[in-house]
């Protein structure tokens, strides 16, 4: 399968929370999109692995992605080891994405910043001819860093106003993380995803406002952006 866009993240639900709107928008444009979850999210505070995989399948459908897979890295122990880099390079060679979305390289959660390094180095290795592995060498053309979890000024923002409702549905598909069993309702366990969903919605609103639309998702590129037509540029200055 050949993908146009592949989003790589540490845990199932990271992609929905940080760049789900962009994936929906690109799928609606006719691009072939995909998601690679590095871990199965087995350290999540709620829900069994079976529930979580059902939830991820539901979210996947809502995002309109053509492919979703798990690399099988242990949750809470994401490391950019040689073994995982080679495994990831194998997936890149198979899917041949033109553009890859990675988490920003600085984060509070070690899984998130390690996912960024593992993703970048896996993409790099995939293009090495001499690599002792199957498949035609392939290196993605573009790497975008999703900065939704990071306190950093993005390079650009994608308008997701029309995709926002669908993105919400995809996030809420992870129901076991939102609706604890009665017995657990009074537990003081921190419900990360509840807070995250709320925060991500506020962030989408904030970054939308920054470009003069209702909702947006922020990204950063290491390289500069090239512009052909300075008269047709969007986003009002004054
Ligand atoms: Zn995560």
């Amino acid at each position: 399968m050949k993908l146009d866009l592949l989003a790589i993240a540490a845990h199932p639900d990271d992609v929905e929370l940080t760049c789900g709107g962009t994936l929906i928008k690109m799928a609606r444009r006719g691009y072939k999109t995909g998601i690679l979850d590095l871990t199965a999210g087995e350290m999540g505070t709620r829900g069994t692995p079976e529930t979580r995989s059902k939830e991820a399948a539901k979210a996947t459908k809502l995002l309109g992605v053509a492919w979703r897979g798990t690399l099988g890295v242990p949750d809470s122990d994401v490391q950019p080891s040689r073994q995982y880099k080679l495994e990831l390079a194998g997936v890149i060679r198979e899917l041949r994405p033109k553009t890859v979305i990675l988490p920003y390289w600085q984060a509070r959660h070690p899984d998130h910043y390690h996912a960024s390094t593992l993703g970048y180095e896996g993409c790099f290795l995939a293009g090495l001819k001499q690599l002792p592995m199957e498949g035609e060498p392939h290196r993605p053309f573009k790497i975008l860093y999703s900065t939704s979890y990071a306190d950093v000024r993005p390079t650009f923002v994608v308008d997701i106003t029309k995709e926002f409702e669908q993105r919400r549905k995809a996030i809420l598909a992870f129901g076991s993380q939102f609706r604890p069993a009665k017995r657990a309702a009074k537990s003081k366990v921190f419900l990360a995803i509840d807070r995250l969903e709320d925060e991500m919605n506020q962030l989408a609103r904030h970054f939308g406002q920054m470009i003069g639309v209702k909702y947006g998702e922020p990204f950063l590129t290491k390289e500069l952006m090239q512009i052909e037509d300075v008269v047709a540029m969007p986003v009002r200055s004054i």
Side-chain angles (χ1 to χ4, degrees), residues 9-15 17-18 39 75 109 111-112 149 196:
H11 314 108
D13 79 10
D14 279 338
V15 162
L17 288 160
T18 60
T39 77
D75 190 354
H109 197 314
D111 277 1
H112 293 165
Y149 286 160
L196 272 176

Side-chain angles (χ1 to χ4, degrees), residues 146-216:
S146 163
T147 59
S148 291
Y149 286 160
D151 183 16
V152 61
R153 189 172 173 86
T155 314
F156 67 92
V157 174
V158 176
D159 175 6
I160 59 148
T161 309
K162 290 199 183 96
E163 292 74 28
F164 184 75
E165 264 316 304
Q166 185 80 357
R167 182 183 95 146
R168 273 204 83 213
K169 281 186 201 157
I171 295 171
L172 293 170
F174 289 89
S176 70
Q177 305 294 307
F178 286 97
R179 291 185 293 275
K182 265 205 174 135
R183 197 164 38 85
K186 283 183 192 144
S187 116
K188 291 210 172 88
V189 176
F190 185 58
L191 290 178
I193 199 168
D194 294 47
R195 195 184 62 114
L196 272 176
E197 200 256 343
D198 189 45
E199 256 179 40
M200 290 301 114
N201 291 345
Q202 286 180 37
L203 262 171
R205 183 80 190 95
H206 168 74
F207 283 108
Q209 263 175 333
M210 300 282 276
I211 59 162
V213 302
K214 198 152 186 205
Y215 296 107

